[in-house]
Amino acid sequence: MASYRARIVDMGASLADVVTDVERNDDGSVKVAVSWVKPSDNGTEKDVAGGSSMKTPG
């Protein structure tokens, strides 16, 4: 789990934004998910793209 957390931090996440969820099943198996929970952003995809659209030449 530590290596996954480190990889997500290397991508720019703060430690506070990295969440680890461990699910233990009755058969003894476990499911582990390490996620980057990014803060909400009030912008839109259009804002990020600068208002331009991605058109292919044709």
Side-chain angles (χ1 to χ4, degrees), residues 10-56:
D10 287 345
M11 288 188 265
S14 70
L15 283 177
D17 293 338
V18 179
V19 176
T20 303
D21 181 47
V22 179
E23 180 182 314
R24 299 181 188 279
N25 297 311
D26 293 336
D27 64 0
S29 64
V30 294
K31 178 180 174 183
V32 179
V34 180
S35 305
W36 179 356
V37 179
K38 295 182 181 181
S40 297
D41 184 3
N42 292 331
T44 64
E45 188 173 329
K46 184 177 179 181
D47 296 333
V48 173
S52 64
S53 62
M54 307 261 308
K55 294 184 180 178
T56 57

